[in-house]
Amino acid sequence: MKRRIKPQTAEKIAKGAIWTIALMVIGILIAIIVYILYKGLPVINWSFLTEAPRRMGKEGGISSSIIITLSVTALAVLIAMPFGIGTAFYLAEYTRDNIITRIIRFSAESLAGIPSIVYGLFGYIFFLEILGLGWSVLSGGLTLAIMILPTIIRTSEEAILAVSKTYREVSFSLGGTKWQTIRKAVFPSAVRGITNGIILSVGRSVAETAAVILTVGSDLKMRTMAIHFYQLVMEGISMENAYGTAAILIILIFFINVVANMLIDRFIAKGR
């Protein structure tokens, strides 16, 4: 007879394998970040942050790239956030599971998996060619808003559905309306999950290249940091400035995460 592995032993083996894989992934990520910061931090100084790039980025700084990155990302998030969160609340709180909601969810999941270059091509055809907006921050922001919208919808809906039904029942039993229940009970409990989805969308917008190149362009004064980094590396212009740009990108995303979590904690503390 074959000797069977005890359930406790199998569980320990599975846990050990999972922890090993997780630590390997975290270790690789930390190694990449440390290497980029090691190479990039010495390049960063006041002139690098405040001067415009010159000679295709070989000289000067990245001030214009920082401004364009923040402008495009802020525009995309400000457009996509209300539509995404509103759609999530509509699906989770105001409708029942039917063919329409299933189509909306399926569409959101499908759109979330479309390559960014497809969004860029759509943005180029629709915003630049049809609407005539040209290569601009507006075209890029609208394209990125469409691209991150499915992510915000799905993550926000999951966060709302994770809120215990007890909160809703207690609110209704005290005479609260649907809107009061959502505003006072559901939203404060789901805000952390909703914000995490928004942060993911911000990170994707900041690091996006394909969709932005086709809508904002790759002109030296109109490059985002991601495009600037891509051009510096692919054309072999300046690896030093490329590492500096990458380090700024990492620091920017880290800063956004820290500030967002601080604001969430303060919002939750005020609600208690």
Side-chain angles (χ1 to χ4, degrees), residues 24-199:
M24 287 177 60
V25 172
I26 294 172
I28 293 171
L29 177 62
I30 291 175
I32 293 173
I33 293 175
V34 169
Y35 180 77
I36 292 174
L37 293 178
Y38 173 76
K39 289 284 190 176
L41 288 179
V43 181
I44 301 173
N45 52 44
W46 181 248
S47 62
F48 185 76
L49 297 174
T50 56
E51 292 182 4
R54 301 188 301 272
R55 295 184 59 191
M56 298 304 296
K58 191 173 184 178
E59 296 179 359
I62 58 170
S63 61
S64 60
S65 296
I66 294 174
I67 294 172
I68 295 298
T69 300
L70 295 176
S71 300
V72 173
T73 302
L75 181 61
V77 173
L78 289 175
I79 293 173
M81 185 170 61
F83 286 102
I85 297 175
T87 301
F89 272 106
Y90 172 77
L91 292 173
E93 298 292 333
Y94 288 97
T95 62
R96 296 181 180 179
D97 187 29
N98 53 46
I99 186 65
I100 296 177
T101 57
R102 285 195 290 270
I103 290 174
I104 295 174
R105 291 190 179 97
F106 176 78
S107 300
E109 292 172 356
S110 299
L111 289 172
I114 293 178
S116 59
I117 189 68
V118 177
Y119 284 103
L121 181 60
F122 168 80
Y124 176 81
I125 294 173
F126 186 72
F127 296 120
L128 273 74
E129 297 294 331
I130 297 178
L131 297 185
L133 298 179
W135 308 92
S136 63
V137 170
L138 180 58
S139 297
L142 291 171
T143 302
L144 289 181
I146 297 173
M147 187 179 72
I148 65 176
L149 182 60
T151 301
I152 296 177
I153 292 175
R154 296 302 295 139
T155 54
S156 298
E157 185 183 6
E158 291 299 325
I160 295 166
L161 293 174
V163 177
S164 175
K165 293 183 178 179
T166 305
Y167 290 1
R168 299 172 177 83
E169 293 171 355
V170 171
S171 177
F172 291 142
S173 67
L174 294 174
T177 63
K178 186 73 171 180
W179 171 244
Q180 289 173 330
T181 300
I182 291 173
R183 187 165 59 91
K184 295 292 186 178
V186 179
F187 180 73
S189 301
V191 66
R192 186 174 293 278
I194 293 172
T195 306
N196 288 336
I198 295 172
I199 292 173

